[in-house]
mmCIF file of all heavy atoms in Angstrom:
data_model
loop_
_atom_site.group_PDB
_atom_site.id
_atom_site.type_symbol
_atom_site.label_atom_id
_atom_site.label_comp_id
_atom_site.label_asym_id
_atom_site.label_seq_id
_atom_site.Cartn_x
_atom_site.Cartn_y
_atom_site.Cartn_z
ATOM 1 N N ILE A 73 9.613 13.979 28.000
ATOM 2 C CA ILE A 73 11.000 13.747 27.598
ATOM 3 C C ILE A 73 11.600 15.011 26.983
ATOM 4 O O ILE A 73 11.025 15.615 26.079
ATOM 5 C CB ILE A 73 11.082 12.574 26.601
ATOM 6 C CG1 ILE A 73 10.733 11.260 27.317
ATOM 7 C CG2 ILE A 73 12.458 12.495 25.952
ATOM 8 C CD1 ILE A 73 10.611 10.063 26.388
ATOM 9 N N ASN A 74 12.766 15.404 27.498
ATOM 10 C CA ASN A 74 13.478 16.562 26.952
ATOM 11 C C ASN A 74 14.971 16.424 27.241
ATOM 12 O O ASN A 74 15.425 16.658 28.367
ATOM 13 C CB ASN A 74 12.951 17.870 27.553
ATOM 14 C CG ASN A 74 13.635 19.087 26.962
ATOM 15 O OD1 ASN A 74 14.330 18.986 25.941
ATOM 16 N ND2 ASN A 74 13.471 20.237 27.596
ATOM 17 N N PHE A 75 15.716 16.054 26.208
ATOM 18 C CA PHE A 75 17.160 15.874 26.368
ATOM 19 C C PHE A 75 17.910 17.201 26.361
ATOM 20 O O PHE A 75 19.114 17.230 26.561
ATOM 21 C CB PHE A 75 17.690 14.948 25.274
ATOM 22 C CG PHE A 75 17.303 13.509 25.471
ATOM 23 C CD1 PHE A 75 16.116 13.018 24.968
ATOM 24 C CD2 PHE A 75 18.117 12.662 26.202
ATOM 25 C CE1 PHE A 75 15.738 11.699 25.157
ATOM 26 C CE2 PHE A 75 17.755 11.334 26.409
ATOM 27 C CZ PHE A 75 16.560 10.852 25.881
ATOM 28 N N GLY A 76 17.194 18.300 26.130
ATOM 29 C CA GLY A 76 17.823 19.616 26.169
ATOM 30 C C GLY A 76 17.589 20.350 27.478
ATOM 31 O O GLY A 76 17.982 21.504 27.628
ATOM 32 N N LEU A 90 12.611 7.007 27.551
ATOM 33 C CA LEU A 90 12.750 6.665 26.138
ATOM 34 C C LEU A 90 13.271 5.245 25.964
ATOM 35 O O LEU A 90 12.832 4.523 25.062
ATOM 36 C CB LEU A 90 13.667 7.664 25.436
ATOM 37 C CG LEU A 90 13.771 7.493 23.916
ATOM 38 C CD1 LEU A 90 12.395 7.497 23.260
ATOM 39 C CD2 LEU A 90 14.659 8.562 23.307
ATOM 40 N N VAL A 107 9.434 10.584 19.283
ATOM 41 C CA VAL A 107 9.800 11.383 20.450
ATOM 42 C C VAL A 107 9.907 12.847 20.035
ATOM 43 O O VAL A 107 10.425 13.166 18.962
ATOM 44 C CB VAL A 107 11.125 10.896 21.077
ATOM 45 C CG1 VAL A 107 12.305 11.085 20.126
ATOM 46 C CG2 VAL A 107 11.393 11.583 22.412
ATOM 47 N N HIS A 108 9.388 13.738 20.870
ATOM 48 C CA HIS A 108 9.502 15.171 20.594
ATOM 49 C C HIS A 108 10.944 15.614 20.795
ATOM 50 O O HIS A 108 11.637 15.121 21.687
ATOM 51 C CB HIS A 108 8.569 15.964 21.502
ATOM 52 C CG HIS A 108 7.120 15.783 21.169
ATOM 53 N ND1 HIS A 108 6.100 16.299 21.945
ATOM 54 C CD2 HIS A 108 6.503 15.152 20.134
ATOM 55 C CE1 HIS A 108 4.942 15.988 21.404
ATOM 56 N NE2 HIS A 108 5.158 15.292 20.310
ATOM 57 N N THR A 109 11.369 16.560 19.979
ATOM 58 C CA THR A 109 12.783 16.944 19.958
ATOM 59 C C THR A 109 13.203 17.859 21.104
ATOM 60 O O THR A 109 14.386 18.101 21.301
ATOM 61 C CB THR A 109 13.117 17.622 18.615
ATOM 62 O OG1 THR A 109 12.065 18.547 18.276
ATOM 63 C CG2 THR A 109 13.241 16.588 17.512
ATOM 64 N N GLY A 110 12.251 18.368 21.867
ATOM 65 C CA GLY A 110 12.577 19.085 23.088
ATOM 66 C C GLY A 110 13.016 20.531 22.879
ATOM 67 O O GLY A 110 12.940 21.081 21.784
ATOM 68 N N SER A 111 13.512 21.126 23.966
ATOM 69 C CA SER A 111 13.894 22.538 23.936
ATOM 70 C C SER A 111 15.071 22.798 24.867
ATOM 71 O O SER A 111 15.363 22.006 25.762
ATOM 72 C CB SER A 111 12.700 23.409 24.354
ATOM 73 O OG SER A 111 12.241 23.034 25.635
ATOM 74 N N ARG A 118 21.577 26.971 22.457
ATOM 75 C CA ARG A 118 21.124 25.836 21.666
ATOM 76 C C ARG A 118 22.248 24.804 21.476
ATOM 77 O O ARG A 118 22.021 23.584 21.553
ATOM 78 C CB ARG A 118 20.656 26.384 20.314
ATOM 79 C CG ARG A 118 20.116 25.382 19.337
ATOM 80 C CD ARG A 118 19.961 26.076 17.973
ATOM 81 N NE ARG A 118 19.099 25.337 17.097
ATOM 82 C CZ ARG A 118 17.787 25.479 17.065
ATOM 83 N NH1 ARG A 118 17.193 26.332 17.880
ATOM 84 N NH2 ARG A 118 17.055 24.778 16.225
ATOM 85 N N ALA A 121 22.644 22.633 24.467
ATOM 86 C CA ALA A 121 21.543 21.675 24.571
ATOM 87 C C ALA A 121 21.722 20.519 23.588
ATOM 88 O O ALA A 121 21.476 19.350 23.924
ATOM 89 C CB ALA A 121 20.214 22.381 24.332
ATOM 90 N N LEU A 122 22.167 20.828 22.377
ATOM 91 C CA LEU A 122 22.390 19.769 21.386
ATOM 92 C C LEU A 122 23.553 18.866 21.785
ATOM 93 O O LEU A 122 23.546 17.662 21.513
ATOM 94 C CB LEU A 122 22.639 20.380 20.001
ATOM 95 C CG LEU A 122 21.389 20.898 19.285
ATOM 96 C CD1 LEU A 122 21.773 21.662 18.024
ATOM 97 C CD2 LEU A 122 20.432 19.758 18.955
ATOM 98 N N GLN A 124 24.179 18.109 24.777
ATOM 99 C CA GLN A 124 23.557 17.253 25.788
ATOM 100 C C GLN A 124 22.722 16.145 25.130
ATOM 101 O O GLN A 124 22.697 15.003 25.604
ATOM 102 C CB GLN A 124 22.664 18.125 26.684
ATOM 103 C CG GLN A 124 22.272 17.492 27.994
ATOM 104 C CD GLN A 124 21.704 18.538 28.942
ATOM 105 O OE1 GLN A 124 22.451 19.243 29.612
ATOM 106 N NE2 GLN A 124 20.392 18.644 28.971
ATOM 107 N N VAL A 125 22.049 16.503 24.039
ATOM 108 C CA VAL A 125 21.318 15.505 23.258
ATOM 109 C C VAL A 125 22.283 14.402 22.810
ATOM 110 O O VAL A 125 21.986 13.206 22.916
ATOM 111 C CB VAL A 125 20.631 16.150 22.032
ATOM 112 C CG1 VAL A 125 20.137 15.090 21.057
ATOM 113 C CG2 VAL A 125 19.478 17.048 22.475
ATOM 114 N N ARG A 126 23.432 14.798 22.327
ATOM 115 C CA ARG A 126 24.428 13.830 21.869
ATOM 116 C C ARG A 126 24.881 12.923 23.015
ATOM 117 O O ARG A 126 24.948 11.700 22.878
ATOM 118 C CB ARG A 126 25.631 14.554 21.270
ATOM 119 C CG ARG A 126 26.735 13.614 20.804
ATOM 120 C CD ARG A 126 27.924 14.370 20.218
ATOM 121 N NE ARG A 126 28.922 13.438 19.724
ATOM 122 C CZ ARG A 126 28.866 12.848 18.553
ATOM 123 N NH1 ARG A 126 27.862 13.099 17.733
ATOM 124 N NH2 ARG A 126 29.821 12.025 18.165
ATOM 125 N N LEU A 129 21.349 10.933 24.329
ATOM 126 C CA LEU A 129 20.468 10.224 23.396
ATOM 127 C C LEU A 129 21.231 9.301 22.458
ATOM 128 O O LEU A 129 20.750 8.216 22.111
ATOM 129 C CB LEU A 129 19.654 11.247 22.586
ATOM 130 C CG LEU A 129 18.608 10.723 21.596
ATOM 131 C CD1 LEU A 129 17.690 9.691 22.237
ATOM 132 C CD2 LEU A 129 17.796 11.881 21.033
ATOM 133 N N ARG A 130 22.441 9.693 22.084
ATOM 134 C CA ARG A 130 23.248 8.871 21.169
ATOM 135 C C ARG A 130 23.453 7.452 21.680
ATOM 136 O O ARG A 130 23.314 6.485 20.910
ATOM 137 C CB ARG A 130 24.587 9.575 20.919
ATOM 138 C CG ARG A 130 25.522 8.872 19.942
ATOM 139 C CD ARG A 130 24.999 8.969 18.522
ATOM 140 N NE ARG A 130 25.945 8.418 17.554
ATOM 141 C CZ ARG A 130 26.143 7.131 17.327
ATOM 142 N NH1 ARG A 130 25.461 6.221 18.007
ATOM 143 N NH2 ARG A 130 27.000 6.721 16.409
ATOM 144 N N LEU A 133 20.584 5.072 20.908
ATOM 145 C CA LEU A 133 20.547 4.592 19.529
ATOM 146 C C LEU A 133 21.486 3.407 19.335
ATOM 147 O O LEU A 133 21.173 2.466 18.598
ATOM 148 C CB LEU A 133 20.922 5.734 18.570
ATOM 149 C CG LEU A 133 19.857 6.812 18.379
ATOM 150 C CD1 LEU A 133 20.462 8.075 17.784
ATOM 151 C CD2 LEU A 133 18.728 6.302 17.505
ATOM 152 N N LEU A 144 14.035 5.323 15.832
ATOM 153 C CA LEU A 144 13.716 6.463 16.687
ATOM 154 C C LEU A 144 13.329 7.610 15.763
ATOM 155 O O LEU A 144 14.128 8.046 14.922
ATOM 156 C CB LEU A 144 14.917 6.865 17.547
ATOM 157 C CG LEU A 144 14.674 8.063 18.461
ATOM 158 C CD1 LEU A 144 13.596 7.748 19.500
ATOM 159 C CD2 LEU A 144 15.966 8.482 19.168
ATOM 160 N N LEU A 145 12.096 8.076 15.888
ATOM 161 C CA LEU A 145 11.558 9.071 14.966
ATOM 162 C C LEU A 145 11.428 10.421 15.657
ATOM 163 O O LEU A 145 10.649 10.588 16.595
ATOM 164 C CB LEU A 145 10.192 8.602 14.443
ATOM 165 C CG LEU A 145 10.186 7.199 13.823
ATOM 166 C CD1 LEU A 145 8.787 6.849 13.329
ATOM 167 C CD2 LEU A 145 11.211 7.091 12.691
ATOM 168 N N LEU A 146 12.190 11.387 15.190
ATOM 169 C CA LEU A 146 12.191 12.721 15.776
ATOM 170 C C LEU A 146 11.004 13.523 15.248
ATOM 171 O O LEU A 146 10.819 13.641 14.035
ATOM 172 C CB LEU A 146 13.490 13.449 15.421
ATOM 173 C CG LEU A 146 14.799 12.782 15.850
ATOM 174 C CD1 LEU A 146 15.986 13.596 15.351
ATOM 175 C CD2 LEU A 146 14.861 12.616 17.365
ATOM 176 N N GLU A 147 10.218 14.072 16.170
ATOM 177 C CA GLU A 147 9.076 14.909 15.806
ATOM 178 C C GLU A 147 9.338 16.348 16.237
ATOM 179 O O GLU A 147 9.533 16.628 17.423
ATOM 180 C CB GLU A 147 7.797 14.394 16.469
ATOM 181 C CG GLU A 147 6.578 15.236 16.135
ATOM 182 C CD GLU A 147 5.299 14.738 16.795
ATOM 183 O OE1 GLU A 147 5.349 13.777 17.588
ATOM 184 O OE2 GLU A 147 4.230 15.336 16.526
ATOM 185 N N SER A 148 9.359 17.241 15.268
ATOM 186 C CA SER A 148 9.596 18.650 15.576
ATOM 187 C C SER A 148 8.381 19.262 16.255
ATOM 188 O O SER A 148 7.276 18.715 16.197
ATOM 189 C CB SER A 148 9.939 19.423 14.294
ATOM 190 O OG SER A 148 8.877 19.328 13.363
ATOM 191 N N SER A 155 12.544 25.967 21.396
ATOM 192 C CA SER A 155 12.492 24.684 20.692
ATOM 193 C C SER A 155 13.801 24.384 19.963
ATOM 194 O O SER A 155 14.377 25.255 19.308
ATOM 195 C CB SER A 155 11.329 24.708 19.700
ATOM 196 O OG SER A 155 11.347 23.572 18.889
ATOM 197 N N LEU A 156 14.255 23.141 20.071
ATOM 198 C CA LEU A 156 15.483 22.740 19.391
ATOM 199 C C LEU A 156 15.241 22.396 17.925
ATOM 200 O O LEU A 156 16.173 22.391 17.124
ATOM 201 C CB LEU A 156 16.105 21.525 20.094
ATOM 202 C CG LEU A 156 16.752 21.782 21.447
ATOM 203 C CD1 LEU A 156 17.228 20.482 22.063
ATOM 204 C CD2 LEU A 156 17.915 22.755 21.298
ATOM 205 N N CYS A 157 13.999 22.081 17.591
ATOM 206 C CA CYS A 157 13.712 21.654 16.230
ATOM 207 C C CYS A 157 12.264 21.979 15.891
ATOM 208 O O CYS A 157 11.344 21.341 16.411
ATOM 209 C CB CYS A 157 13.980 20.151 16.101
ATOM 210 S SG CYS A 157 13.847 19.521 14.433
ATOM 211 N N SER A 158 12.058 22.970 15.023
ATOM 212 C CA SER A 158 10.700 23.308 14.613
ATOM 213 C C SER A 158 10.594 23.472 13.094
ATOM 214 O O SER A 158 9.612 23.043 12.502
ATOM 215 C CB SER A 158 10.221 24.579 15.315
ATOM 216 O OG SER A 158 11.085 25.666 15.051
ATOM 217 N N THR A 160 12.130 22.789 9.092
ATOM 218 C CA THR A 160 12.739 21.618 8.442
ATOM 219 C C THR A 160 14.258 21.595 8.610
ATOM 220 O O THR A 160 14.852 20.551 8.892
ATOM 221 C CB THR A 160 12.399 21.600 6.943
ATOM 222 O OG1 THR A 160 12.728 22.875 6.374
ATOM 223 C CG2 THR A 160 10.926 21.320 6.709
ATOM 224 N N TRP A 161 14.885 22.762 8.464
ATOM 225 C CA TRP A 161 16.348 22.795 8.520
ATOM 226 C C TRP A 161 16.895 22.558 9.931
ATOM 227 O O TRP A 161 18.077 22.266 10.094
ATOM 228 C CB TRP A 161 16.870 24.104 7.949
ATOM 229 C CG TRP A 161 16.132 25.323 8.420
ATOM 230 C CD1 TRP A 161 16.290 25.991 9.602
ATOM 231 C CD2 TRP A 161 15.090 26.012 7.723
ATOM 232 N NE1 TRP A 161 15.430 27.054 9.680
ATOM 233 C CE2 TRP A 161 14.666 27.096 8.542
ATOM 234 C CE3 TRP A 161 14.464 25.838 6.485
ATOM 235 C CZ2 TRP A 161 13.657 27.983 8.160
ATOM 236 C CZ3 TRP A 161 13.466 26.714 6.106
ATOM 237 C CH2 TRP A 161 13.071 27.775 6.942
ATOM 238 N N ASP A 162 16.043 22.668 10.934
ATOM 239 C CA ASP A 162 16.497 22.391 12.299
ATOM 240 C C ASP A 162 16.835 20.918 12.504
ATOM 241 O O ASP A 162 17.566 20.565 13.444
ATOM 242 C CB ASP A 162 15.422 22.803 13.317
ATOM 243 C CG ASP A 162 15.195 24.304 13.363
ATOM 244 O OD1 ASP A 162 16.134 25.060 13.040
ATOM 245 O OD2 ASP A 162 14.071 24.717 13.726
ATOM 246 N N PHE A 163 16.282 20.052 11.649
ATOM 247 C CA PHE A 163 16.614 18.630 11.763
ATOM 248 C C PHE A 163 18.085 18.382 11.449
ATOM 249 O O PHE A 163 18.671 17.403 11.901
ATOM 250 C CB PHE A 163 15.749 17.788 10.812
ATOM 251 C CG PHE A 163 14.351 17.542 11.293
ATOM 252 C CD1 PHE A 163 13.276 18.205 10.724
ATOM 253 C CD2 PHE A 163 14.102 16.637 12.323
ATOM 254 C CE1 PHE A 163 11.970 17.976 11.159
ATOM 255 C CE2 PHE A 163 12.805 16.388 12.769
ATOM 256 C CZ PHE A 163 11.738 17.068 12.188
ATOM 257 N N GLY A 164 18.703 19.280 10.682
ATOM 258 C CA GLY A 164 20.100 19.111 10.306
ATOM 259 C C GLY A 164 21.043 19.034 11.498
ATOM 260 O O GLY A 164 21.736 18.019 11.683
ATOM 261 N N PRO A 165 21.096 20.067 12.343
ATOM 262 C CA PRO A 165 21.958 20.022 13.528
ATOM 263 C C PRO A 165 21.599 18.875 14.480
ATOM 264 O O PRO A 165 22.489 18.306 15.123
ATOM 265 C CB PRO A 165 21.712 21.390 14.191
ATOM 266 C CG PRO A 165 21.270 22.275 13.087
ATOM 267 C CD PRO A 165 20.476 21.400 12.163
ATOM 268 N N TYR A 166 20.309 18.540 14.555
ATOM 269 C CA TYR A 166 19.887 17.449 15.446
ATOM 270 C C TYR A 166 20.444 16.120 14.933
ATOM 271 O O TYR A 166 20.967 15.302 15.710
ATOM 272 C CB TYR A 166 18.356 17.409 15.519
ATOM 273 C CG TYR A 166 17.804 17.045 16.874
ATOM 274 C CD1 TYR A 166 17.263 18.020 17.711
ATOM 275 C CD2 TYR A 166 17.808 15.737 17.334
ATOM 276 C CE1 TYR A 166 16.740 17.692 18.956
ATOM 277 C CE2 TYR A 166 17.286 15.401 18.572
ATOM 278 C CZ TYR A 166 16.751 16.377 19.379
ATOM 279 O OH TYR A 166 16.237 16.043 20.609
ATOM 280 N N PHE A 167 20.334 15.901 13.630
ATOM 281 C CA PHE A 167 20.886 14.680 13.030
ATOM 282 C C PHE A 167 22.401 14.648 13.181
ATOM 283 O O PHE A 167 22.984 13.590 13.445
ATOM 284 C CB PHE A 167 20.492 14.597 11.554
ATOM 285 C CG PHE A 167 19.259 13.775 11.295
ATOM 286 C CD1 PHE A 167 18.011 14.212 11.735
ATOM 287 C CD2 PHE A 167 19.331 12.566 10.619
ATOM 288 C CE1 PHE A 167 16.874 13.468 11.503
ATOM 289 C CE2 PHE A 167 18.193 11.809 10.375
ATOM 290 C CZ PHE A 167 16.955 12.249 10.818
ATOM 291 N N GLU A 168 23.047 15.798 13.008
ATOM 292 C CA GLU A 168 24.504 15.853 13.158
ATOM 293 C C GLU A 168 24.918 15.495 14.583
ATOM 294 O O GLU A 168 25.918 14.793 14.790
ATOM 295 C CB GLU A 168 25.013 17.259 12.811
ATOM 296 C CG GLU A 168 24.963 17.572 11.326
ATOM 297 C CD GLU A 168 25.263 19.037 11.040
ATOM 298 O OE1 GLU A 168 25.825 19.714 11.935
ATOM 299 O OE2 GLU A 168 24.915 19.508 9.935
ATOM 300 N N ALA A 169 24.151 15.980 15.565
ATOM 301 C CA ALA A 169 24.462 15.671 16.963
ATOM 302 C C ALA A 169 24.384 14.169 17.227
ATOM 303 O O ALA A 169 25.062 13.642 18.116
ATOM 304 C CB ALA A 169 23.494 16.410 17.892
ATOM 305 N N LEU A 170 23.581 13.483 16.428
ATOM 306 C CA LEU A 170 23.391 12.036 16.608
ATOM 307 C C LEU A 170 24.071 11.241 15.502
ATOM 308 O O LEU A 170 23.751 10.066 15.277
ATOM 309 C CB LEU A 170 21.895 11.725 16.666
ATOM 310 C CG LEU A 170 21.162 12.389 17.836
ATOM 311 C CD1 LEU A 170 19.651 12.213 17.703
ATOM 312 C CD2 LEU A 170 21.641 11.824 19.176
ATOM 313 N N ASP A 171 25.032 11.868 14.813
ATOM 314 C CA ASP A 171 25.828 11.211 13.764
ATOM 315 C C ASP A 171 24.972 10.576 12.679
ATOM 316 O O ASP A 171 25.381 9.573 12.076
ATOM 317 C CB ASP A 171 26.765 10.148 14.384
ATOM 318 C CG ASP A 171 27.761 10.748 15.360
ATOM 319 O OD1 ASP A 171 28.248 11.858 15.090
ATOM 320 O OD2 ASP A 171 28.027 10.118 16.405
ATOM 321 N N SER A 172 23.801 11.134 12.429
ATOM 322 C CA SER A 172 22.882 10.582 11.418
ATOM 323 C C SER A 172 22.780 9.064 11.553
ATOM 324 O O SER A 172 22.872 8.311 10.578
ATOM 325 C CB SER A 172 23.342 10.951 9.999
ATOM 326 O OG SER A 172 23.278 12.341 9.800
ATOM 327 N N HIS A 173 22.597 8.623 12.782
ATOM 328 C CA HIS A 173 22.543 7.190 13.092
ATOM 329 C C HIS A 173 21.564 6.467 12.153
ATOM 330 O O HIS A 173 20.499 7.002 11.822
ATOM 331 C CB HIS A 173 22.106 7.008 14.549
ATOM 332 C CG HIS A 173 22.310 5.628 15.071
ATOM 333 N ND1 HIS A 173 21.434 4.602 14.811
ATOM 334 C CD2 HIS A 173 23.292 5.099 15.849
ATOM 335 C CE1 HIS A 173 21.861 3.496 15.402
ATOM 336 N NE2 HIS A 173 22.996 3.772 16.032
ATOM 337 N N LEU A 176 17.870 6.349 12.969
ATOM 338 C CA LEU A 176 17.237 7.645 13.206
ATOM 339 C C LEU A 176 16.352 8.021 12.017
ATOM 340 O O LEU A 176 16.741 7.862 10.861
ATOM 341 C CB LEU A 176 18.327 8.702 13.403
ATOM 342 C CG LEU A 176 17.940 10.058 13.987
ATOM 343 C CD1 LEU A 176 17.368 9.913 15.392
ATOM 344 C CD2 LEU A 176 19.173 10.969 14.010
ATOM 345 N N GLY A 177 15.152 8.502 12.312
ATOM 346 C CA GLY A 177 14.248 8.934 11.261
ATOM 347 C C GLY A 177 13.457 10.152 11.690
ATOM 348 O O GLY A 177 13.671 10.707 12.775
ATOM 349 N N THR A 208 17.512 18.403 3.778
ATOM 350 C CA THR A 208 18.157 18.483 5.096
ATOM 351 C C THR A 208 18.602 17.116 5.617
ATOM 352 O O THR A 208 19.718 16.979 6.123
ATOM 353 C CB THR A 208 17.203 19.126 6.123
ATOM 354 O OG1 THR A 208 16.831 20.421 5.661
ATOM 355 C CG2 THR A 208 17.868 19.263 7.481
ATOM 356 N N VAL A 209 17.748 16.105 5.519
ATOM 357 C CA VAL A 209 18.053 14.815 6.161
ATOM 358 C C VAL A 209 18.222 13.660 5.182
ATOM 359 O O VAL A 209 18.627 12.568 5.583
ATOM 360 C CB VAL A 209 16.973 14.439 7.202
ATOM 361 C CG1 VAL A 209 16.913 15.478 8.303
ATOM 362 C CG2 VAL A 209 15.608 14.245 6.550
#
Side-chain angles (χ1 to χ4, degrees):
I73 292 173
N74 182 13
F75 287 88
L90 186 54
V107 64
H108 290 173
T109 44
S111 57
R118 181 191 197 87
L122 284 172
Q124 197 166 277
V125 167
R126 178 180 183 82
L129 183 50
R130 182 71 174 77
L133 287 162
L144 179 64
L145 306 181
L146 302 177
E147 179 180 4
S148 60
S155 172
L156 288 176
C157 187
S158 58
T160 52
W161 45 81
D162 293 333
F163 282 106
Y166 216 104
F167 265 68
E168 288 171 17
L170 298 171
D171 299 322
S172 295
H173 193 279
L176 194 61
T208 302
V209 299

